[in-house]
Amino acid sequence: MNDHDGWTRPLPADRPRPTYWPGALALGVTVTLWGFVTTPVILGVGAAVGVVAIAGWIKELVRGAAPVDAAQDRNEKEVMDDG
């Protein structure tokens, strides 16, 4: 018999909400690298997207995006597991 029967893994009390900024940063880096191969215009566009993404992500972290409620998240997972 396992000593840990009935135990559950605790969820973090506060988790930040998902955000699109990391994806935007990845797009900016990709377009910037593509710009090194093609034209300076594309390089500039990629760099601008990257700078905006970094600024937006930092702003969201400093502002403190509303955390996900752990109990609500757990209930949603239970519903998805049952279905």
Side-chain angles (χ1 to χ4, degrees):
M1 184 160 211
N2 191 353
D3 290 335
H4 303 294
D5 288 341
W7 287 22
T8 59
R9 177 172 292 185
L11 294 174
D14 292 329
R15 294 183 306 159
R17 290 204 177 274
T19 178
Y20 290 108
W21 293 118
L25 180 59
L27 177 67
V29 169
T30 302
V31 173
T32 300
L33 293 175
W34 183 35
F36 278 118
V37 176
T38 57
T39 66
V41 173
I42 294 175
L43 185 138
V45 170
V49 169
V51 168
V52 168
I54 290 172
W57 199 358
I58 290 172
K59 178 182 171 187
E60 193 169 293
L61 290 174
V62 169
R63 181 183 61 185
V68 174
D69 181 23
Q72 177 186 0
D73 190 47
R74 187 179 307 123
N75 290 337
E76 289 174 1
K77 286 182 181 178
E78 288 174 1
V79 169
M80 292 179 75
D81 290 341
D82 290 340

